[in-house]
């Protein structure tokens, strides 16, 4: 018969392994994108590899720099 703490430890280890695998999958699939919303809950996501996406990333970087600069 297994000791109770070993069963619990095995279960926690299994959960940790699953969480680590989930994070690895998420990191591999996650790519930068810009999401734009219009009135009426219409939206679109633009990948950084598209012309529109590059323009949105450039505009966002200008906004961030403007917000950081002292007034």
């Amino acid at each position: 018969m297994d000791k109770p703490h070993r069963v619990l430890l095995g279960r926690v280890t299994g959960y940790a392994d699953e969480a680590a695998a989930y994070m690895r999958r998420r990191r591999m699939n996650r790519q930068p994108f810009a999401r734009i919303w219009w009135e009426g809950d219409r939206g679109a996501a633009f990948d950084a590899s598209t012309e529109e996406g590059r323009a949105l990333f450039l505009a966002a970087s200008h906004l961030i720099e403007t917000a950081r600069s002292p007034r």
Side-chain angles (χ1 to χ4, degrees):
M1 180 175 185
D2 286 336
K3 294 184 179 181
H5 68 279
R6 288 186 184 156
V7 172
L8 179 61
L9 184 61
R11 190 174 297 164
V12 170
T13 302
Y15 291 144
D17 289 342
E18 286 296 318
Y22 169 77
M23 293 305 289
R24 277 193 304 276
R25 286 190 305 271
R26 182 178 164 111
R27 256 184 266 129
M28 288 175 16
N29 294 333
R30 190 172 47 183
Q31 298 295 323
F33 67 94
R35 182 171 287 145
I36 304 295
W37 291 97
W38 293 275
E39 290 184 44
D41 289 333
R42 256 184 358 143
F46 296 93
D47 190 336
S49 65
T50 64
E51 185 177 332
E52 295 89 356
R54 284 190 296 275
L56 288 168
F57 276 90
L58 182 62
S61 69
H62 288 301
L63 286 172
I64 292 168
E65 289 302 317
T66 302
R68 287 184 183 165
S69 65
R71 296 179 186 188

